[in-house]
Amino acid sequence: MKTTKLVMLVMIIAVAMFVLIPNLSWAEDGAAIFKAKCAMCHGADAAGKPAMKAPSLISDEAKKKSDADLTKAVTETANTRPQ
C-alpha cells in the first residue's frame, strides 16, 4: 500500500516537472537579453573587447566578484554604453 502511494507521488511529480520545466524560459530570456544589450561590447563569447574597455565577463577576476559588485558595475556603466 505504501509503495503504491510512493509510486503515485513520484509519477505526479515527474508529470508536473515534465509540464512545467519547458515553460521556464528564464535561460532563453537571459540569452536574448545578453545578445541584445551586452554582446555588442563584451562580445558574443563574453570575452570582452579591450579596445572598447569592455571587460571580460568570463575571466577569473569577473568570476570572483560578488553579485553586489557586478550590479554596481552594470548600473554605473549602463548609461555610458550604447543600447
Side-chain angles (χ1 to χ4, degrees):
M1 186 79 154
K2 288 184 180 182
T3 305
T4 305
K5 287 182 180 180
L6 182 60
V7 169
M8 289 300 293
L9 178 62
V10 169
M11 291 299 293
I12 290 170
I13 291 170
V15 169
M17 291 184 74
F18 180 76
V19 170
L20 293 175
I21 287 180
N23 294 325
L24 300 175
S25 62
W26 58 268
E28 292 174 11
D29 293 343
I33 291 169
F34 181 85
K35 185 176 179 182
K37 304 271 184 183
C38 309
M40 68 183 81
C41 295
H42 294 280
D45 60 355
K49 293 183 180 178
M52 294 181 65
K53 297 185 181 178
S56 169
L57 302 177
I58 57 173
S59 68
D60 289 336
E61 182 181 325
K63 292 176 185 177
K64 291 177 185 175
K65 291 187 178 186
S66 68
D67 287 346
D69 290 339
L70 294 171
T71 300
K72 182 179 177 187
V74 169
T75 56
E76 287 178 352
T77 60
N79 295 328
T80 62
R81 304 281 189 231
Q83 295 187 12

